[in-house]
């Protein structure tokens, strides 16, 4: 069923066609086969850009990076009219390296276009190469060419970015089954049209080193089985036996939780039936369901104990992993500290010698400072005495009596001061107002 003009609505959950889609006359031109470009280069390019933009927009919207010519013809059918120009559009998109064939991408998703050309024409089996050239280049079989599947790289990267942003970022450190990841994509609103589209996105994310993959072969088909989401960038993406063991424990835990919920619901139903039969006075039937209730309770208890053991194991595994991380951090820190100490020469003997030298140097510095300060004080005192002597000589004053700080009472020299000298010395004293009364001064003079 195609997306005709009547299907175009403005709701966000439906694809919105451009306004020109309603113009029948213009769309007849757009649906027609391409004419030679040299006749009308501008019209040719406008028509080509219209279809390439429309295809890219729809594939991104629907989360459908994988498509074929037949898919596009049915998707963009208007009424009974199929677009007759899409084969030319696909050829142009391939030349512009906007698309790659699905078989080539799945064979080597990380390979470049140059490497793909060499591999497809030289390294791979000739039968496979001839089939590819026949269907994608020569297109002798038009029906087979219309069914060849392509991958739109922009649509693929767009869906990959949505998965990484909305799903992987919230489930770091987990190992998920393919169906579990598919459910998470649906829960978080990431559009994925089909399982093959999701597989292509997971292959691209694996090439980006964002997640790890484990495959299984079922009915002769290689399929993605487990997806490992690392805790942080740079972690090992290989799925080890330990990862699988933890994954099995987590699955068992989920199954036990589901079984416990079912048992609780069944116990509740039995209780209701027991009450019903008691009201109807059917005691034997009530006893039957009561016995069944006891069996269900025992089963519930056993499963609860098993769930407790599983959760204890998971907790122990998580604690051991965290302890290993802490131990690794200790080792790294110890080795780093040893390296720093070795490079800087910080050893006990060296540090002790340096500190001893520092103490000796500080002691010498203090002694020098003491000597210099004493010398300066003595010189300053002598200079001050000389200046006082010169001032007295200039003022015509007699030299004041000098007293030795160390007085020997046995050898005390007698100092003789006349009355006039004593009165002159008292008059030279400066006294603040109010400290000594005039009467006191007169009494001193009288006594003298």
């Amino acid at each position: 069923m195609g997306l005709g003009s009547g299907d175009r609505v403005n709701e966000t959950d439906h694809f919105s066609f451009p306004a020109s889609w309603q113009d029948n006359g213009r769309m007849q031109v757009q649906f027609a086969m391409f004419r030679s470009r040299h006749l009308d280069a501008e019209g040719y390019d406008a028509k080509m850009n219209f279809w390439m933009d429309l295809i890219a927009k729809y594939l991104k919207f629907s989360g459908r990076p994988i498509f074929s010519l037949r898919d596009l013809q049915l998707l963009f059918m208007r009424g009974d009219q199929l677009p007759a120009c899409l084969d030319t559009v696909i050829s142009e998109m391939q030349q512009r390296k906007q698309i790659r064939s699905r078989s080539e991408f799945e064979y080597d998703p990380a390979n470049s276009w140059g490497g793909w050309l060499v591999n497809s024409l030289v390294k791979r089996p000739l039968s496979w190469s001839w089939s590819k050239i026949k269907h994608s280049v020569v297109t002798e079989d038009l029906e087979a060419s219309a069914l060849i599947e392509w991958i739109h790289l922009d649509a693929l990267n767009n869906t990959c970015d949505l998965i990484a942003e909305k799903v992987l970022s919230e489930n770091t450190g987990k190992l998920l089954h393919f169906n579990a990841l598919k459910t998470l994509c649906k829960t978080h609103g990431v559009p994925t049209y089909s399982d093959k589209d999701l597989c292509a996105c997971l292959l691209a994310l694996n090439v980006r080193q964002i997640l790890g993959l484990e495959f299984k072969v079922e009915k002769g088909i290689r399929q993605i089985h487990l997806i490992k989401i690392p805790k942080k960038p740079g972690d090992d993406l290989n799925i080890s036996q330990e990862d699988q063991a933890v994954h099995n424990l987590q699955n068992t835990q989920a199954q036990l939780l589901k079984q416990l919920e079912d048992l609780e619901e069944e116990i509740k139903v039995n209780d209701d039936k027991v009450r019903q039969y008691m009201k109807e006075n059917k005691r034997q039937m009530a006893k039957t369901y009561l016995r069944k209730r006891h069996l269900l309770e025992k089963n519930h208890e056993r499963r609860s104990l098993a769930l407790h053991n599983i959760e204890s194991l998971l907790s122990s595994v998580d604690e051991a992993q965290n302890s290993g991380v802490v131990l690794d951090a200790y080792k790294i820190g110890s080795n780093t500290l040893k390296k720093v100490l070795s490079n800087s020469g910080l050893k006990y003997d060296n540090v002790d010698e340096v500190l001893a030298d520092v103490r000796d140097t500080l002691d010498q510095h203090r002694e020098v400072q003491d000597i210099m300060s004493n010398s300066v004080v003595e010189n300053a005192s002598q200079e001050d005495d000389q200046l006082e002597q010169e001032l007295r000589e200039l003022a015509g004053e007699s030299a004041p009596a000098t007293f030795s700080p160390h007085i020997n009472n046995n050898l005390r020299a007698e100092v003789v001061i006349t009355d006039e000298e004593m009165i002159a010395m008292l008059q030279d004293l400066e006294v603040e107002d109010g400290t000594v009364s005039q009467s006191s001064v007169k009494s001193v003079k009288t006594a003298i």
Side-chain angles (χ1 to χ4, degrees):
M1 181 178 179
L3 294 173
S5 58
D7 298 323
R8 186 174 66 86
V9 291
N10 293 324
E11 288 81 357
T12 56
D13 57 343
H14 292 80
F15 181 68
S16 179
F17 281 86
S20 60
W21 193 263
Q22 300 293 339
D23 190 341
N24 293 329
R26 184 173 180 182
M27 293 313 300
Q28 271 195 336
V29 176
Q30 300 287 30
F31 272 51
M33 297 181 64
F34 277 90
R35 300 171 62 189
S36 179
R37 188 176 183 277
H38 73 274
L39 297 177
D40 183 8
E42 185 177 353
Y44 184 96
D45 293 341
K47 181 177 178 179
M48 182 65 69
N49 292 332
F50 169 83
W51 279 111
M52 287 195 297
D53 293 342
L54 182 61
I55 291 171
K57 184 178 179 182
Y58 175 78
L59 296 179
K60 290 179 182 179
F61 167 80
S62 60
R64 184 177 183 174
I66 300 177
F67 68 95
S68 66
L69 174 60
R70 179 60 54 84
D71 293 334
L72 296 182
Q73 288 175 340
L74 295 176
L75 286 170
F76 299 118
M77 182 173 62
R78 296 179 77 251
D80 296 333
Q81 185 181 9
L82 292 173
C85 57
L86 293 182
D87 54 343
T88 307
V89 176
I90 290 177
S91 178
E92 182 67 20
M93 292 169 68
Q94 185 183 15
Q95 290 181 8
R96 296 188 186 186
K97 299 181 181 179
Q98 296 179 0
I99 60 175
R100 295 174 67 182
S101 67
R102 180 191 173 190
S103 57
E104 183 272 327
F105 176 83
E106 292 180 348
Y107 180 84
D108 191 3
N111 205 356
S112 63
W113 279 94
W116 166 76
L117 184 62
V118 173
N119 285 336
S120 61
L121 297 179
V122 179
K123 295 183 179 179
R124 297 179 188 174
L126 293 177
S127 59
W128 184 90
S129 301
W130 170 246
S131 175
K132 285 288 299 174
I133 295 174
K134 175 182 177 182
H135 291 132
S136 61
V137 181
V138 182
T139 64
E140 293 179 354
D141 190 343
L142 298 179
E143 184 66 23
S145 176
L147 297 177
I148 292 177
E149 290 184 319
W150 303 90
I151 292 182
H152 195 283
L153 299 182
D154 285 345
L156 178 72
N157 292 330
N158 181 74
T159 306
C160 288
D161 293 340
L162 290 175
I163 293 174
E165 177 184 355
K166 296 184 177 182
V167 179
L168 303 186
S169 61
E170 297 184 3
N171 295 275
T172 56
K174 292 184 179 180
L175 187 65
L176 300 176
H177 191 270
F178 178 81
N179 291 330
L181 184 65
K182 181 180 175 181
T183 302
L184 287 174
C185 289
K186 184 177 180 180
T187 303
H188 290 81
V190 178
T192 51
Y193 184 78
S194 64
D195 289 354
K196 64 182 180 182
D197 295 294
L198 181 58
C199 288
C201 293
L202 294 178
L203 287 174
L205 291 171
N206 179 251
V207 170
R208 296 186 194 178
Q209 298 294 307
I210 295 179
L211 51 77
L213 297 177
E214 181 180 272
F215 298 87
K216 69 175 182 179
V217 178
E218 186 174 341
K219 297 180 180 179
I221 301 175
R222 187 169 178 259
Q223 299 176 348
I224 296 176
H225 178 49
L226 296 175
I227 300 99
K228 180 179 180 180
I229 306 173
K231 287 186 177 180
K232 61 182 183 299
D235 286 354
D236 186 15
L237 297 178
N238 295 321
I239 299 176
S240 62
Q241 293 183 353
E242 292 78 8
D243 295 330
Q244 292 183 353
V246 172
H247 176 65
N248 292 333
L249 287 175
Q250 292 173 346
N251 287 339
T252 305
Q253 180 188 24
Q255 292 174 3
L256 287 173
L257 285 172
K258 183 65 171 60
Q259 292 174 5
L260 288 173
E261 292 178 359
D262 295 340
L263 286 172
E264 290 176 356
E265 186 66 25
E266 194 171 354
I267 290 172
K268 183 179 178 181
V269 171
N270 275 271
D271 290 342
D272 294 338
K273 290 184 177 180
V274 170
R275 295 188 186 95
Q276 179 183 352
Y277 286 125
M278 287 297 293
K279 290 179 180 179
E280 297 175 359
N281 199 22
K282 297 179 180 180
R283 303 183 66 85
Q284 292 300 325
M285 293 297 297
K287 289 180 181 179
T288 300
Y289 280 98
L290 192 59
R291 292 189 188 95
K292 184 177 180 181
R293 182 183 186 277
H294 293 162
L295 293 175
L296 292 173
E297 287 179 344
K298 291 180 181 179
N299 196 3
H300 186 280
E301 184 179 355
R302 287 194 296 268
R303 278 169 171 72
S304 297
L305 181 60
L307 178 62
H308 174 71
N309 294 333
I310 293 295
E311 290 177 344
S312 298
L313 286 173
L314 288 173
S315 178
S316 300
V317 170
D318 186 65
E319 184 178 355
Q321 290 176 347
N322 293 332
S323 299
V325 172
V326 172
L327 181 60
D328 292 339
Y330 285 163
K331 291 180 181 179
I332 294 173
S334 176
N335 294 332
T336 303
L337 183 58
K338 288 179 181 178
K339 186 176 180 180
V340 171
L341 291 175
S342 177
N343 294 337
S344 60
L346 290 175
K347 295 182 179 180
Y348 175 80
D349 295 338
N350 294 339
V351 173
D352 187 56
E353 291 177 1
V354 171
L355 291 178
D357 292 340
V358 170
R359 286 193 292 269
D360 293 341
T361 304
L362 291 176
D363 291 340
Q364 293 177 6
H365 180 262
R366 281 193 294 270
E367 292 176 359
V368 170
Q369 291 287 50
D370 293 341
I371 293 173
M372 292 180 65
S373 62
N374 292 335
S375 299
V376 170
V377 171
E378 291 176 1
N379 293 334
S381 177
Q382 293 175 2
E383 184 180 1
D384 187 68
D385 293 342
Q386 292 176 359
L387 292 175
E388 289 290 340
Q389 180 66 27
E390 290 181 8
L391 288 175
R392 284 193 297 272
E393 290 177 357
L394 291 174
E397 297 177 356
S398 59
T402 58
F403 299 94
S404 174
H406 302 285
I407 300 175
N408 190 347
N409 295 327
N410 297 327
L411 299 174
R412 179 183 297 175
E414 184 178 358
V415 179
V416 180
I417 301 175
T418 63
D419 295 339
E420 291 78 6
E421 290 176 347
M422 178 64 72
I423 293 172
M425 291 173 63
L426 290 174
Q427 289 177 350
D428 291 339
L429 292 176
E430 296 180 359
V431 180
E432 295 181 1
D433 294 339
T435 57
V436 180
S437 63
Q438 294 295 330
S439 59
S440 301
V441 175
K442 290 180 180 180
S443 62
V444 171
K445 289 183 179 181
T446 304
I448 293 174

